[in-house]
Structure formats: structure tokens, C-alpha cells
Amino acid sequence: MNLKFPLLALAGLLPSGQTLAKDHTNFIIILMDDMGYGDLEINGAIDYHTPNFNRLAHQGMLFTHYYAPQAVSGASRAGLLTGCYPNRINLSGAPFPGANYGINPNETTMAEMLKDQGYRCAIFGKWHLGDHPDFLPLKHGFDEFYGIPYSNDMWPGHPSIKFPDLPLIEGDSIIAHNPDQNRFTQDLTKRAVRFIEQNRKKPFFLYLAHPMPHVPLAVSPQFRGKSKQGLYGDVMMELDWSLGEILNTLRSERLEKNTLVIVISDNGPWLNYGNHSGNTGGLREGKGTSFEGGQRVPCLMYWKNHIKPGSVCNRLVSGIDLFPTIAALAQAKLPEHKIDGVDITPLLQSVPDANPRTSFLYYYRNNDLEAVTDGRYKLVFPHKYRTYEQYLPGNDGKPGRVNEFYPLKEKMLFDLRLDPGERYNIIKQHPDIVKKLEAIADNARQDLGDDLTGVKGTGTRPIGRVKAEKKQ
């Protein structure tokens, strides 16, 4: 019997003597692609409605300072599934079709950890940890896979890059090419619902990794034209519908009390796509940057009778923390190798003054340490970054120009409480804070390295590789 929530029983949220509804906890992670901090009604979205996201916030916990492991798809997903900073396992960027690298088989994924505990594990949607057969989900702990191996724009319809046909995969087999993307959200949701129903009497881990709202935007006829915002709003409304289907299935199968539902995004919005991109909620820059708009994204968690309804957590949390948290709740063993996540169970319990994560490192590109935060103050180091602010964005699926290597020439300190938009450099006012954050950065460089300073870390592990002639 899982006994992780005695404090909730004491608080009256559980009947006396009751811990969990059953002797196991199910886990559902719903990952959106490129959904920004401001893309939910509860965070300020306008001209479309997200009642099920709202419902999740009202019945569960809203995290206001959740950070994606990195500001780009493949690396972010690697961090989520391994509990490591992506550069610790040398998986950077977003692997292109036919890449000869991917997740190393020596790494332990969340699915492998849970499978050892008797869980049935499925991923429906986008993978993006390598498309060679050696790197696909069934080789890394998942029992079922239906979806695409990388981003939905990596196909012949891309507006500026020539890509091969996009494969639709079931298990380990390609079952179609260039599938109708308008069906993605509906089809993946149906698969997810069926998986829950089929495994209602056994422990399960469901990873629903929606390709949307990443461009090219696509939506079913049921939702096309439903919002006042246009296609992006239509897509968000369909994703909201999908969440409602999952929540309703848990209720009908009487699984709410022993299922933790987590809703997150892999990184911030792709701003140069204009009306086909999301909203950072006023945070600086977007996807592909270590400014707040690139990595601070929505996070909602729901677990009936275990997470206090309507609660808000403003502590520092990252996607790398989900691995050890789920391990603790499932009473599973952590891998022998080092991970970077921390167990945030005390935050789910609303334990007063709990603060398991005291710092976060913003790495990007191959291994650039671009910033560090203690949750309130953020020290940003000189680096070259992607900026969307110099040019007008594109529209209707066509990207606008970006400067991929705009130089930030000075070290900057921001107070994220007063200045979440990172506009005012207060580095001269707080030398003590700068010293503290620089010490955290120095320790990180010794462990993980930093290409910007030329420091080679001692704690990284190799990426998985295959011979070029074996690529899919």
C-alpha cells in the first residue's frame, strides 16, 4: 500500500485511515508541443475557452514557476523521461529525420522504471528522442506506441526545408506516411481513452504527447472555426476537449483517486509564426531561448483526494523533477547513475515552506550554460541567442525572420518576482545575489561543463549512436 500522503489524511482531505483508493498509483502525463505560458484561460488567453484546463486547475494544483527541461523539443523530452538535464546525457536540440543519434540504451526512462514495477506503459503522439529503430519507444520501456517519431513539421509540407515523408508508426512498424494531421488530436485521444479502459484494473503509465499546437496547425472539422482567435484557438479548444475526454474516462472508470494527471508543455511558443503561434503571457522571447518565454510553461496536476483542490504552487519546479517524484509515488527504484530531478511530493502535499528545488540551470545549444536561477533571481550570462523581437512575425503558417545568434554582451540579473519579463538589469544593486548564483553556475560547469567558457564537465554521459547506414 502506498503511504505517501499521511499529511492529507491529517488535513481532512482523506477519510480517516484511508491512504490510496488502491495499492498502486497510475500516472498520466499530457504533453503539449509549443504551448505557451499564456495559452490557457487561467493564464490570460482570450478569444477561446479552455474549460477542462480550468477544471483541472480548480480541482487540482496550478504551478506558476514550472520550467521545461530545455527550450527545444527533443532535449526537453529527454529531460522529462530521464530526470536529467538533457546535456548530462548529451541529447541536445531536436533530432532531424535519419539522425544517427538518440537516447542511449543505458539511460533509464520513466517507462523502464515503472515497467519494473509491473506497469503497462504507452505513448501516443510525438517521440523525438531519435527515429532509428534502436531509439524508438518500444526499445525504451514502452509497451505501446502510436504516433510520429519527430515534429509534425518535419515533412514535405514544410515552408522552407526539404524533409522526407513523415512516418506514422504503430509499435515498431511504419503504417502510413504523411498522415492527415487534422485527425491527430482525435485519434490520439481515442487511443488514450481505450488504453485507460483496457488497463483499469492494473497499474498504467500513459504518456499522451500531442503534436499540437506546434505548426503546421491542424484541427478536426468538429473544432474548425469554433474560436474567435482563428486556427490556433481552434486547436487549443480541441486539446481542451481531449483533456476532458481523459478526465471523464477516469471518472467513469472510478480511477480518479489513484491516478495522478500532469499537464505540461515541452517549451514555449514559436513566436515567428505569428497568428499560428502561442502566447508567452508577457514573458520574454519564446521557444529556443533561455529567457522565461522559452522555458516557463503551464503545469497543472490533479489527483483526487490527494492534491488540495484549487491550490497554487509558486515554487521552482522543472520537468526533470517528475521522474523522481513518480518514482517515489510508485515506490520504484531510481537508476544507479546520477539524475538531476528532485522529488516534489511535499509540494503536492502542500507542506508548508517545502522547497525541494533551490536552483535551476538554463542550458541550451550543445552545452551552453546561459542562465541560472534560485527561483526569484535569475543571472543571465553573455551568450548568443535567438531573438524574435527584431522582425515582424509571419502569419497563416508562414514563419517570419529571426536572428538566431543575437549577441547578449553583458551579464544581467533579473528579479523574476518584480520583472518576469526580464527587462531591467539590476546586477549592480545585488552583488551578494550575483555571487551566490555564480557559485551555483561554477558548480554546474564542473559537473556538466559549459561550452561558453570552455569548461569540460566530468558528469556527462554519452548519447546513443548508430552507424549512418543503419538509419531509418
Side-chain angles (χ1 to χ4, degrees), residues 30 132 147 151 157 167 197 215 256 267 273 282 288 298 300 311 370 426 451:
I30 303 176
H132 185 278
S151 295
E197 293 172 341
V215 291
E256 291 178 295
N267 47 246
Y273 275 88
L300 300 165
S311 52
E370 296 182 350
I426 56 172
D451 288 353

Side-chain angles (χ1 to χ4, degrees), residues 52 54 63 70 85 93 109 118 120 132 137 155 182 244 254 270 276 320 339 341 399 411 455 463:
N52 291 300
N54 300 348
F63 290 80
Q70 209 173 102
Y85 283 115
T109 68
R120 182 80 178 173
H132 185 278
W155 74 328
N182 293 312
R254 299 183 179 181
W270 210 345
H276 281 202
I320 59 178
I339 66 170
K411 192 183 300 183
V455 177
I463 196 170

Side-chain angles (χ1 to χ4, degrees), residues 132-203:
H132 185 278
D134 289 354
F135 303 135
L136 291 178
L138 267 58
K139 297 293 196 302
H140 295 276
F142 287 95
D143 301 293
E144 299 182 34
F145 172 44
Y146 174 82
I148 55 178
Y150 36 73
S151 295
N152 64 316
D153 68 331
M154 294 179 175
W155 74 328
H158 194 281
S160 57
I161 301 175
K162 185 176 181 180
F163 283 111
D165 291 335
L166 174 66
L168 178 65
I169 299 175
E170 182 155 19
D172 282 329
S173 301
I174 297 174
I175 60 173
H177 283 98
N178 302 323
D180 180 1
Q181 297 201 23
N182 293 312
R183 297 182 55 177
F184 273 171
T185 301
Q186 297 273 336
D187 287 352
L188 297 173
T189 303
K190 291 174 183 176
R191 294 266 180 160
V193 167
R194 186 170 65 194
F195 177 79
I196 295 170
E197 293 172 341
Q198 291 174 341
N199 293 280
R200 61 186 179 275
K201 294 184 179 180
K202 62 187 74 168

Side-chain angles (χ1 to χ4, degrees), residues 35-40 43 63-65 268-269 279-281 283 296-298:
M35 182 174 73
Y37 191 86
D39 280 339
L40 306 182
N43 285 344
F63 290 80
T64 63
H65 287 70
N279 174 8
T280 67
L283 302 175
R296 197 197 298 193
V297 294

Side-chain angles (χ1 to χ4, degrees), residues 417-436:
R417 184 182 74 86
L418 299 174
D419 180 26
E422 298 171 283
R423 303 298 177 188
Y424 306 104
N425 185 7
I426 56 172
I427 195 165
K428 294 181 180 179
Q429 299 176 21
H430 297 284
D432 53 334
I433 299 296
V434 173
K435 184 177 180 181
K436 170 190 169 184

Side-chain angles (χ1 to χ4, degrees), residues 11-30:
L13 294 174
L14 290 174
S16 177
Q18 180 181 334
T19 52
L20 297 180
K22 296 183 180 181
D23 61 355
H24 66 264
T25 304
N26 304 313
F27 303 100
I28 298 177
I29 295 179
I30 303 176

Side-chain angles (χ1 to χ4, degrees), residues 56-63 299-303 307-313 347-350:
L56 207 67
H58 296 153
Q59 296 179 354
M61 181 174 284
L62 169 68
F63 290 80
C299 176
L300 300 165
M301 298 193 194
Y302 169 67
W303 188 2
I307 292 177
K308 184 178 179 180
S311 52
V312 176
C313 179
L347 300 181
L348 304 186
Q349 296 174 319
S350 297

Side-chain angles (χ1 to χ4, degrees), residues 43 131 362:
N43 285 344
D131 69 323
Y362 301 75

